[in-house]
Every structure is written in structure tokens, then in C-alpha cells.
Amino acid sequence: MSKLVLSPSPNPLKGTIEVPGDKSISHRAVIFGSLAEGVTKVTHFLDGEDCMRTVHAFQTMGVNIKREGDSLIIDGKGIAALEEPDQPLYFGNSGTTSRLMIGLLAGLPFFTASWGDPSLSKRPMDRVVNPLRDMGAIIDGREKGSKLPLSIRGTRLQSIDYTLPVKSAQVKSAVLFAGLLADGVTKVRELTQTRNHTENMLKAFQADITTDGNTTEITGRKALKATNIYVPGDISSAAFFIAAAAIVPESQVVLKNVGLNGTRTGILDVLKKMGADMEVSNQKEVGGEMIGDLTVKHTELQGVKIKGDIIPRLIDEIPIIALLATQAEGTTVIKDAEELRVKETDRIAAVTEVLSSLGADIEATEDGMVIKGRAKITGGEVSAYNDHRIAMMGAIASLISEEEVTIDDDSSIAISYPNFFEDLNSVIN
Ligand code: S3P
């Protein structure tokens, strides 16, 4: 536990940052590299705590994975070479590791037990367990298998035609992973499109997969072939510096090689609507994912309405968008974001509590929040709720605060952005 006291820093932010690799893409690169035949090199891999849980899970199942600079070298020997782990798999705080691994473990021919930290143990797993059971999975666990710890007796699965009842890329991915191991063709339909990194990367690893609008089909029991993956900068991490540059007067920050996959760029659409001064340059496609550089300058912002299909495209950015909204003229309303209630913490409650303690005018609703700008951030003492994105939001709030901002514990930041303060200090003048 490390308490953090941040003094206001009214100076403009200036400089260039290359944020760490995308968390979602890093997890998937480890998973597919471990299942594939051949050596996969993952460049610009995010070595945050969550992705390391996925690495350790595969190492426990006998896969040789090693670090080489900012790359990961995975010596894949194919699915059949995975070994039954001789100890329970620990998923820590990582929702992505747990949901994706459960999908996979359900179809592997051995037994596993898995558990997580207190936050992960509260999060719903029935959203993946239910469709997997429909495919024949044998899963048991706390609260009838809806919470960790879980035990999985891997078995031969049957394909399924499944319409997602929740807007969740983790659930979609879990069913696709199970589909990869199942007999027949598995179809997953989404009512609202969520991030599509699983589909993109399965194509890169030569899976038999097609996407048509919001429907994905995968043919099971086909070997994956190793490939090299470059992990773009995580737009969810870049979001903290995009916001900082937008709200600290006279700032100009360049963010290099940020992932610009359209299923993730909702925050850029919102910023444009708010009137932000932002430019995208050097756009290109690398391994099925768009990347580019973002230049953000301070400007006056307007409040906006954020609801409907855009929500999954910015779900992880809502805490920092809420801070932006406190500095925008007028009212910002965020709706249809009930998924925030089951993140690392209840992010509707946490964001509202933290920002109002710091001086903002913000109210929680069932599925979002209402924020009235412009409010003075006065400072104060807040909890990060053990949630990396809440802790980083608090740190960015301190830049425009009148007095100190004290955060009870900043250690969660290592989940997704181990060098966050180094990067922040590099642009503070
Ligand atoms: C993720 C999907 C999202 C997101 C999470 C990462 C992924 O969760 O919030 O940080 O990598 O698939 P849900 O699928 O629960 O919406």
C-alpha cells in the first residue's frame, strides 16, 4: 500500500509520450501465442500486473515464455502440448485473464481450479459460465459457479449459436475461445459491437474465423499458426494524457503509436464533440490494428450527452471523461453505462465519490452520471478503491487542483500503467 500526496501543478504539459502496450491486445497475444504452433514474438508487450497473470497461467501449463527487452517470446507447441496445472491458477485483479481463460480451460482435456483477489472474487462469472455450460462445459464454483473460485473439468465442447445478453468483449471472447476447441461452427452475435481484438488476432493466427457485421463464426479444432504481434499503445492509458492536455491551460502533448481501432476510439469522438483541439497523424495499419499519433492542446470544452452504442467504445475511459466533464461548460450526461457497476470496483459510485470529494458537481444515476461544469477542483483526500483507472483519474485531477490531492493507495496503477508517474513527470514542466 502506498499513499500518494500530489501537489497542484498549474504549469502547461509539454512533450511526447509513447504509452505502454494495449492491455486487451497483450492478453490475447499471450493466449494465442501459447496455443499456436511455432514461436510468437510480441513487441511492445504491456508488462502490467494483469497481463502477467495471463503469462503465469500459461507458464503453469508448461508453455515457455520469456522476456527480451520490451518483447515477449512465446514458444508455442500447440494446444495438445498444454499440461494440467499442478496448482490453482491465480488471476489476481484481472477480469480479462479470468473471463478469457475460463472460456479456454472449459475445452482443454484436464482439470483446473482458479481464484482471484477480493475485487475479482466479487465480479460476475456467470456471464461466461452460462454459455459455456450450454456448450457442455463442466464448471463448478462459488454461488453455483457464478463467482471465483471456480473449478473446471475440461471436456469436449459442442458449438453454439449465441447472442450476447451483455455488451462485453470478454464474454464474446470466452465463447470464441471455447468455439476454437469445440466441434462444429460457433456463432456469436452482438447487439452492440464491442472491441474486436480477439477476432482480428485470431485471423492473424490463421484461425478459421469470419465476421459479418456484428456476427462472428469460428470453426473449431483447427490449429493456430504462430505469428509476430506488435502491440499498439493503449488508448485507455493515453486517455489520461489526452485529458490532462485538454484541461491544463497552454498544454500540448503528442501521444505516439496509439491504437486507433474503431471499436476503442469512442473517447476521441466524445472529445471532438466537446470541442477539443486534437489531431490524428501518421495513421497506419499494423497487424490488423490501426495506430497513429495524437496531438492534443488545451482548449475550452463543452458538456455532451454520451449514451447508446458508443458506450462499449469508451467504457474504460468513463472515469477520465467524467473529470473532463467537470471542466466543460454545461452539463454532461452519461447513460447506458450500467456495466461500470461490475468493473474493478463500482465505477459509477467510485467516480462520483472521488470527484465530488475533490469539489466537482456530479451525481450518480442507475446507469451513469450527470456532471455539471465548470467546477473548481479544490483538492482533498480520496480512496482509489483499489482501481487503477480511479487512481490515475485522481492523479490527473491534482494537476488542476487548488490544494493537494491525497490518494490512499496508488499501487493499483501497476495493473495497466507501471510507468505512469515517469511519463507524467516527463511532460510536467
Ligand atoms: C476487455 C473488455 C472490457 C474492458 C476490459 C477489457 C477485454 O470488459 O472493460 O478492461 O480485453 O476484452 P467487458 O468485456 O467486461 O466489457
Side-chain angles (χ1 to χ4, degrees):
M1 189 123 156
S2 60
K3 186 164 163 160
L4 187 70
V5 183
L6 293 154
S7 304
S9 175
N11 295 339
L13 306 181
K14 302 266 180 203
T16 300
I17 294 175
E18 178 151 16
V19 295
D22 187 276
K23 182 156 81 70
S24 295
I25 296 178
S26 294
H27 279 295
R28 287 156 172 85
V30 175
I31 296 174
F32 296 134
S34 298
L35 300 180
E37 290 163 2
V39 176
T40 291
K41 180 171 181 179
V42 186
T43 311
H44 200 226
F45 172 74
L46 168 65
D47 64 351
E49 284 176 7
D50 273 13
C51 296
M52 292 314 290
R53 302 291 175 205
T54 302
V55 168
H56 290 143
F58 281 100
Q59 287 173 328
T60 312
M61 291 190 281
V63 181
N64 189 349
I65 304 177
K66 55 178 202 283
R67 294 300 308 257
E68 223 172 61
D70 81 340
S71 300
L72 209 59
I73 311 291
I74 308 170
D75 191 6
K77 300 260 190 286
I79 293 168
L82 294 175
E83 293 162 13
E84 182 171 71
D86 58 3
Q87 50 189 292
L89 300 175
Y90 181 58
F91 298 148
N93 190 252
S94 181
T96 308
T97 307
S98 55
R99 269 69 172 261
L100 272 49
M101 292 301 297
I102 292 167
L104 191 68
L105 296 170
L108 291 174
F110 49 68
F111 173 81
T112 48
S114 52
W115 61 299
D117 75 2
S119 152
L120 189 60
S121 306
K122 286 196 200 99
R123 297 179 68 183
M125 295 296 151
D126 43 351
R127 50 180 55 200
V128 289
V129 168
N130 291 340
L132 294 174
R133 281 182 175 152
D134 290 346
M135 298 175 82
I138 308 166
I139 303 178
D140 203 354
R142 204 158 58 87
E143 295 181 21
K144 299 187 178 144
S146 64
K147 300 264 168 68
L148 290 174
L150 290 178
S151 68
I152 301 175
R153 166 70 54 201
T155 188
R156 188 140 179 171
L157 301 173
Q158 299 309 311
S159 57
I160 189 177
D161 183 337
Y162 191 65
T163 301
L164 290 183
V166 278
K167 297 172 269 189
S168 166
Q170 292 176 355
V171 178
K172 171 175 64 176
S173 301
V175 177
L176 289 174
F177 288 165
L180 187 66
L181 305 175
D183 289 322
V185 178
T186 291
K187 254 191 199 181
V188 185
R189 303 166 197 267
E190 298 187 275
L191 303 176
T192 306
Q193 193 180 20
T194 63
R195 64 191 69 192
N196 60 0
H197 307 300
T198 294
E199 299 90 306
N200 291 347
M201 212 183 284
L202 274 167
K203 285 174 194 157
F205 278 90
Q206 296 180 39
D208 190 348
I209 180 169
T210 54
T211 30
D212 180 11
N214 286 358
T215 302
T216 304
E217 284 190 22
I218 186 161
T219 304
R221 311 194 73 78
K222 196 174 169 254
L224 300 182
K225 300 282 174 237
T227 184
N228 291 335
I229 299 284
Y230 167 77
V231 183
D234 196 330
I235 192 167
S236 301
S237 298
F240 295 98
F241 293 105
I242 296 174
I247 60 179
V248 177
E250 293 171 44
S251 295
Q252 173 166 341
V253 172
V254 178
L255 296 149
K256 302 281 289 178
N257 299 326
V258 178
L260 296 175
N261 178 318
T263 62
R264 297 284 298 283
T265 50
I267 183 166
L268 304 186
D269 296 351
V270 164
L271 274 158
K272 269 184 226 142
K273 259 173 88 185
M274 294 178 100
D277 185 343
M278 187 183 60
E279 252 179 51
V280 183
S281 55
N282 297 329
Q283 278 201 72
K284 56 183 176 223
E285 201 189 296
V286 181
E289 295 283 349
M290 287 305 293
I291 65 166
D293 301 338
L294 299 172
T295 304
V296 189
K297 296 183 195 159
H298 167 260
T299 193
E300 300 300 318
L301 302 174
Q302 297 297 319
V304 281
K305 291 203 170 32
I306 306 172
K307 61 181 176 125
D309 287 358
I310 198 170
I311 295 293
R313 297 177 54 230
L314 48 68
I315 189 73
D316 291 342
E317 289 68 77
I318 291 178
I320 194 66
I321 289 174
L323 175 65
L324 275 171
T326 68
Q327 301 309 300
E329 205 53 57
T331 302
T332 293
V333 181
I334 303 173
K335 284 186 181 176
D336 304 320
E338 62 286 340
E339 275 296 305
L340 289 177
R341 297 229 179 249
V342 290
K343 294 294 176 190
E344 284 81 336
T345 186
D346 174 344
R347 283 189 179 153
I348 294 179
V351 167
T352 307
E353 171 61 33
V354 169
L355 289 179
S356 55
S357 303
L358 295 179
D361 183 345
I362 175 166
E363 249 177 59
T365 60
E366 209 36 56
D367 64 347
M369 42 199 111
V370 178
I371 306 141
K372 294 202 178 113
R374 305 182 45 176
K376 276 205 165 67
I377 298 297
T378 48
E381 216 171 316
V382 293
S383 169
Y385 293 86
N386 264 319
D387 181 328
H388 51 135
R389 302 203 197 277
I390 304 291
M392 288 187 274
M393 177 195 73
I396 299 300
S398 76
L399 300 175
I400 52 162
S401 177
E402 291 181 333
E403 306 281 339
E404 283 175 347
V405 171
T406 302
I407 300 171
D408 65 337
D409 180 10
D410 67 345
S411 52
S412 59
I413 293 176
I415 296 273
S416 63
Y417 204 151
N419 298 333
F420 174 72
F421 286 109
E422 277 166 41
D423 284 350
L424 181 57
N425 288 330
S426 77
V427 289
I428 290 179
N429 290 275

